[in-house]
Amino acid sequence: MTSLLDAGTLTGAPPDGDGGTGGRTVDVLEPATGKTLATVAVADAAAVARAVAGAARAQPGWAGTAAAGRAAVLRRAATALEEHRAEVAEWLVREGGAVPAKADGEIADAVEELFQASALPTQPHGQVLPSEPDRSSVARRVPLGVVGVISPWNVPLLLALRSVAPALALGNAVVLKPDVRTPVSGGLVVARIFAEAGLPPGVLRVVPGDAEAGRALTADPAVAMVSFTGSTAVGREVGEVAGRGLKRVSLELGGNNPLIVLDDADLESAAAAGAFASFVHQGQICMAAGRHIVHASVAREYTRLLTERARRLTAGNPWTDPVDLGPMIDAAQLERVHRIVADSVAAGAGLACGGEPDGPFYPATVLSGVTPAMPAFTEEIFGPVAPVVVVRDDEEAVAVANDTAYGLSAAVRTGSLERGMLLADRLRAGMIHVNDQTVNHQAVVPFGGFGGSGNGSRHGAQYGWDSYTQWQWITARGTAPAGRRE
């Protein structure tokens, strides 16, 4: 089997571009070591404009491809990703700092996204409407045209494909801008698997880039819709620019997710779930548990159990060592996490464990006695930190959980399913899990959040119809009427 990525893919112009990227390149660094893994061309605004124009030229032909043909391309892309699993996993580990288990899970979820998207083209895509006896009236869904996808660095492959796959399946062309820190696993891998799958040239363009490329893609009048995953602050900017262009925008943003532990919960199980939810992928996941909200009567024991688990977790280079936590994505992110921890401790939080960076690694950290006045409560940490907040009862637990501008994910741990469901009914979040933890994903669910976590759009399977198509009404008569009909 040939390599998915070769030297020609990683240097010079992107393999699916129209030539020229502004002449700038960026070194792709391994966060654990600082080693340069590859050099990738970076798109400027002019290169983005060329990519969009090329995608617009290619889109009508792709939309005119038979539904079964588009579905087959998506299935072949899933097969190509499976066949190159080991190579792609290496990039996820080395480029993004994932431990192997996270990389394997991301690839499995990405394959499922492709297979679910492959079912979309052959689903019914219209309705027969009531009309006059001599006239047919049909509403059908048609592609938007060119879709811009701006994807993040933390789960780069999956969070690109969950937009790219349904957009392509439904007949759109796509211009994908992966984060400049993960341009290979978040962009060039996507381009290569679709090239192997037989996607016609030009239908998918990949433009690795920074803020300049993102602004250009969002503002381009030929881009009908932008799907953005990233921080709430940048999401607001994307929404503003897209709004001025009267274009559709899907925003999946940050979270400060509560994991509520009630006084009747199995504490061993709850602590295991809480450790996973806060520490998986170094906490660099939008669904990570940002606040552990615990009943006072069990808070001391829960914190002890959570701290024991945190202390057992090792941090290091996931490519060379069997570690639990890899590196933070870069120095800026590590410094931000440490600032939140240090400022919260200075404000009175207890440091149960962790809290001291070691090179590019940040240890699993537990903070006790966190209050709503502390940064560890108010900010999305995006690092391996578990802040524990003590509450008196269920009423206070709900109030504290909802005390945030975000509303992505939440979880409740309890010995009573009825109690958990009653409490869940009062939480303001797009996804709520009773007797589970906050980090959950499936390709078939309406994935998204409330408030500062998004604009109401949803990812997942059939929900792609709402994002990547628009309604068109068509009427037809066998014979034109003699005169104007009122």
Side-chain angles (χ1 to χ4, degrees), residues 69-86:
R70 280 186 273 126
V73 169
L74 271 292
R75 290 194 299 270
R76 290 196 297 267
T79 300
L81 182 54
E82 283 277 26
E83 290 175 347
H84 295 285
R85 172 182 286 270

PDB file of all heavy atoms in Angstrom, residues 69-86:
ATOM      1  N   GLY A  69     -23.660   7.852  -7.210  1.00  0.00           N
ATOM      2  CA  GLY A  69     -22.250   8.123  -7.454  1.00  0.00           C
ATOM      3  C   GLY A  69     -21.618   8.927  -6.342  1.00  0.00           C
ATOM      4  O   GLY A  69     -20.485   8.645  -5.923  1.00  0.00           O
ATOM      5  N   ARG A  70     -22.320   9.951  -5.847  1.00  0.00           N
ATOM      6  CA  ARG A  70     -21.786  10.721  -4.722  1.00  0.00           C
ATOM      7  C   ARG A  70     -21.678   9.845  -3.468  1.00  0.00           C
ATOM      8  O   ARG A  70     -20.701   9.931  -2.730  1.00  0.00           O
ATOM      9  CB  ARG A  70     -22.666  11.938  -4.457  1.00  0.00           C
ATOM     10  CG  ARG A  70     -22.400  13.080  -5.408  1.00  0.00           C
ATOM     11  CD  ARG A  70     -23.185  14.322  -5.041  1.00  0.00           C
ATOM     12  NE  ARG A  70     -24.508  14.300  -5.650  1.00  0.00           N
ATOM     13  CZ  ARG A  70     -25.652  14.435  -4.998  1.00  0.00           C
ATOM     14  NH1 ARG A  70     -25.647  14.573  -3.687  1.00  0.00           N
ATOM     15  NH2 ARG A  70     -26.799  14.428  -5.640  1.00  0.00           N
ATOM     16  N   ALA A  71     -22.679   9.020  -3.244  1.00  0.00           N
ATOM     17  CA  ALA A  71     -22.635   8.128  -2.085  1.00  0.00           C
ATOM     18  C   ALA A  71     -21.438   7.187  -2.156  1.00  0.00           C
ATOM     19  O   ALA A  71     -20.764   6.938  -1.151  1.00  0.00           O
ATOM     20  CB  ALA A  71     -23.934   7.329  -2.000  1.00  0.00           C
ATOM     21  N   ALA A  72     -21.137   6.695  -3.352  1.00  0.00           N
ATOM     22  CA  ALA A  72     -20.023   5.766  -3.509  1.00  0.00           C
ATOM     23  C   ALA A  72     -18.693   6.440  -3.197  1.00  0.00           C
ATOM     24  O   ALA A  72     -17.793   5.826  -2.617  1.00  0.00           O
ATOM     25  CB  ALA A  72     -20.014   5.203  -4.931  1.00  0.00           C
ATOM     26  N   VAL A  73     -18.538   7.705  -3.582  1.00  0.00           N
ATOM     27  CA  VAL A  73     -17.301   8.426  -3.267  1.00  0.00           C
ATOM     28  C   VAL A  73     -17.111   8.527  -1.760  1.00  0.00           C
ATOM     29  O   VAL A  73     -16.007   8.322  -1.233  1.00  0.00           O
ATOM     30  CB  VAL A  73     -17.309   9.830  -3.913  1.00  0.00           C
ATOM     31  CG1 VAL A  73     -16.163  10.682  -3.367  1.00  0.00           C
ATOM     32  CG2 VAL A  73     -17.208   9.718  -5.427  1.00  0.00           C
ATOM     33  N   LEU A  74     -18.176   8.827  -1.032  1.00  0.00           N
ATOM     34  CA  LEU A  74     -18.072   8.920   0.427  1.00  0.00           C
ATOM     35  C   LEU A  74     -17.696   7.578   1.038  1.00  0.00           C
ATOM     36  O   LEU A  74     -16.879   7.511   1.957  1.00  0.00           O
ATOM     37  CB  LEU A  74     -19.398   9.427   1.019  1.00  0.00           C
ATOM     38  CG  LEU A  74     -19.604  10.933   1.156  1.00  0.00           C
ATOM     39  CD1 LEU A  74     -18.681  11.521   2.196  1.00  0.00           C
ATOM     40  CD2 LEU A  74     -19.456  11.664  -0.164  1.00  0.00           C
ATOM     41  N   ARG A  75     -18.279   6.499   0.533  1.00  0.00           N
ATOM     42  CA  ARG A  75     -17.938   5.187   1.072  1.00  0.00           C
ATOM     43  C   ARG A  75     -16.481   4.838   0.781  1.00  0.00           C
ATOM     44  O   ARG A  75     -15.779   4.278   1.629  1.00  0.00           O
ATOM     45  CB  ARG A  75     -18.874   4.117   0.495  1.00  0.00           C
ATOM     46  CG  ARG A  75     -20.304   4.222   0.995  1.00  0.00           C
ATOM     47  CD  ARG A  75     -21.087   2.952   0.675  1.00  0.00           C
ATOM     48  NE  ARG A  75     -21.167   2.709  -0.769  1.00  0.00           N
ATOM     49  CZ  ARG A  75     -22.133   3.168  -1.564  1.00  0.00           C
ATOM     50  NH1 ARG A  75     -23.090   3.933  -1.052  1.00  0.00           N
ATOM     51  NH2 ARG A  75     -22.151   2.889  -2.855  1.00  0.00           N
ATOM     52  N   ARG A  76     -16.025   5.161  -0.432  1.00  0.00           N
ATOM     53  CA  ARG A  76     -14.629   4.868  -0.760  1.00  0.00           C
ATOM     54  C   ARG A  76     -13.672   5.717   0.081  1.00  0.00           C
ATOM     55  O   ARG A  76     -12.580   5.256   0.439  1.00  0.00           O
ATOM     56  CB  ARG A  76     -14.378   5.094  -2.254  1.00  0.00           C
ATOM     57  CG  ARG A  76     -15.056   4.065  -3.147  1.00  0.00           C
ATOM     58  CD  ARG A  76     -14.490   4.084  -4.549  1.00  0.00           C
ATOM     59  NE  ARG A  76     -14.719   5.357  -5.231  1.00  0.00           N
ATOM     60  CZ  ARG A  76     -15.770   5.614  -6.015  1.00  0.00           C
ATOM     61  NH1 ARG A  76     -16.713   4.699  -6.188  1.00  0.00           N
ATOM     62  NH2 ARG A  76     -15.875   6.780  -6.616  1.00  0.00           N
ATOM     63  N   ALA A  77     -14.066   6.933   0.415  1.00  0.00           N
ATOM     64  CA  ALA A  77     -13.231   7.760   1.285  1.00  0.00           C
ATOM     65  C   ALA A  77     -13.112   7.126   2.672  1.00  0.00           C
ATOM     66  O   ALA A  77     -12.030   7.129   3.278  1.00  0.00           O
ATOM     67  CB  ALA A  77     -13.806   9.165   1.388  1.00  0.00           C
ATOM     68  N   ALA A  78     -14.204   6.570   3.184  1.00  0.00           N
ATOM     69  CA  ALA A  78     -14.159   5.883   4.473  1.00  0.00           C
ATOM     70  C   ALA A  78     -13.218   4.685   4.414  1.00  0.00           C
ATOM     71  O   ALA A  78     -12.423   4.447   5.332  1.00  0.00           O
ATOM     72  CB  ALA A  78     -15.564   5.438   4.879  1.00  0.00           C
ATOM     73  N   THR A  79     -13.290   3.943   3.327  1.00  0.00           N
ATOM     74  CA  THR A  79     -12.407   2.788   3.161  1.00  0.00           C
ATOM     75  C   THR A  79     -10.954   3.226   3.075  1.00  0.00           C
ATOM     76  O   THR A  79     -10.059   2.598   3.669  1.00  0.00           O
ATOM     77  CB  THR A  79     -12.800   2.010   1.895  1.00  0.00           C
ATOM     78  OG1 THR A  79     -14.151   1.551   2.020  1.00  0.00           O
ATOM     79  CG2 THR A  79     -11.890   0.813   1.688  1.00  0.00           C
ATOM     80  N   ALA A  80     -10.685   4.316   2.346  1.00  0.00           N
ATOM     81  CA  ALA A  80      -9.309   4.818   2.244  1.00  0.00           C
ATOM     82  C   ALA A  80      -8.771   5.226   3.601  1.00  0.00           C
ATOM     83  O   ALA A  80      -7.602   4.961   3.927  1.00  0.00           O
ATOM     84  CB  ALA A  80      -9.260   6.003   1.275  1.00  0.00           C
ATOM     85  N   LEU A  81      -9.606   5.864   4.407  1.00  0.00           N
ATOM     86  CA  LEU A  81      -9.163   6.264   5.741  1.00  0.00           C
ATOM     87  C   LEU A  81      -8.851   5.039   6.597  1.00  0.00           C
ATOM     88  O   LEU A  81      -7.843   5.009   7.316  1.00  0.00           O
ATOM     89  CB  LEU A  81     -10.234   7.130   6.403  1.00  0.00           C
ATOM     90  CG  LEU A  81      -9.918   7.672   7.800  1.00  0.00           C
ATOM     91  CD1 LEU A  81      -8.599   8.426   7.826  1.00  0.00           C
ATOM     92  CD2 LEU A  81     -11.063   8.569   8.283  1.00  0.00           C
ATOM     93  N   GLU A  82      -9.672   4.022   6.511  1.00  0.00           N
ATOM     94  CA  GLU A  82      -9.405   2.779   7.239  1.00  0.00           C
ATOM     95  C   GLU A  82      -8.093   2.157   6.781  1.00  0.00           C
ATOM     96  O   GLU A  82      -7.294   1.688   7.599  1.00  0.00           O
ATOM     97  CB  GLU A  82     -10.557   1.792   7.024  1.00  0.00           C
ATOM     98  CG  GLU A  82     -11.806   2.097   7.830  1.00  0.00           C
ATOM     99  CD  GLU A  82     -11.707   1.551   9.248  1.00  0.00           C
ATOM    100  OE1 GLU A  82     -10.590   1.385   9.760  1.00  0.00           O
ATOM    101  OE2 GLU A  82     -12.766   1.296   9.837  1.00  0.00           O
ATOM    102  N   GLU A  83      -7.863   2.143   5.481  1.00  0.00           N
ATOM    103  CA  GLU A  83      -6.657   1.503   4.958  1.00  0.00           C
ATOM    104  C   GLU A  83      -5.389   2.227   5.403  1.00  0.00           C
ATOM    105  O   GLU A  83      -4.336   1.612   5.556  1.00  0.00           O
ATOM    106  CB  GLU A  83      -6.727   1.448   3.436  1.00  0.00           C
ATOM    107  CG  GLU A  83      -7.766   0.467   2.905  1.00  0.00           C
ATOM    108  CD  GLU A  83      -7.905   0.514   1.405  1.00  0.00           C
ATOM    109  OE1 GLU A  83      -7.384   1.487   0.790  1.00  0.00           O
ATOM    110  OE2 GLU A  83      -8.538  -0.390   0.829  1.00  0.00           O
ATOM    111  N   HIS A  84      -5.487   3.517   5.616  1.00  0.00           N
ATOM    112  CA  HIS A  84      -4.320   4.316   6.017  1.00  0.00           C
ATOM    113  C   HIS A  84      -4.358   4.660   7.499  1.00  0.00           C
ATOM    114  O   HIS A  84      -3.729   5.627   7.924  1.00  0.00           O
ATOM    115  CB  HIS A  84      -4.254   5.587   5.183  1.00  0.00           C
ATOM    116  CG  HIS A  84      -4.006   5.357   3.726  1.00  0.00           C
ATOM    117  ND1 HIS A  84      -2.767   5.004   3.226  1.00  0.00           N
ATOM    118  CD2 HIS A  84      -4.842   5.398   2.657  1.00  0.00           C
ATOM    119  CE1 HIS A  84      -2.843   4.866   1.911  1.00  0.00           C
ATOM    120  NE2 HIS A  84      -4.090   5.083   1.542  1.00  0.00           N
ATOM    121  N   ARG A  85      -5.077   3.855   8.279  1.00  0.00           N
ATOM    122  CA  ARG A  85      -5.285   4.157   9.692  1.00  0.00           C
ATOM    123  C   ARG A  85      -3.968   4.387  10.433  1.00  0.00           C
ATOM    124  O   ARG A  85      -3.832   5.350  11.197  1.00  0.00           O
ATOM    125  CB  ARG A  85      -6.072   3.018  10.352  1.00  0.00           C
ATOM    126  CG  ARG A  85      -6.183   3.122  11.863  1.00  0.00           C
ATOM    127  CD  ARG A  85      -6.933   1.943  12.434  1.00  0.00           C
ATOM    128  NE  ARG A  85      -8.353   2.050  12.163  1.00  0.00           N
ATOM    129  CZ  ARG A  85      -9.216   2.653  12.985  1.00  0.00           C
ATOM    130  NH1 ARG A  85      -8.776   3.219  14.107  1.00  0.00           N
ATOM    131  NH2 ARG A  85     -10.491   2.706  12.697  1.00  0.00           N
ATOM    132  N   ALA A  86      -2.994   3.525  10.255  1.00  0.00           N
ATOM    133  CA  ALA A  86      -1.747   3.638  11.022  1.00  0.00           C
ATOM    134  C   ALA A  86      -1.018   4.931  10.694  1.00  0.00           C
ATOM    135  O   ALA A  86      -0.491   5.613  11.600  1.00  0.00           O
ATOM    136  CB  ALA A  86      -0.850   2.431  10.750  1.00  0.00           C
TER     137      ALA A  86
END
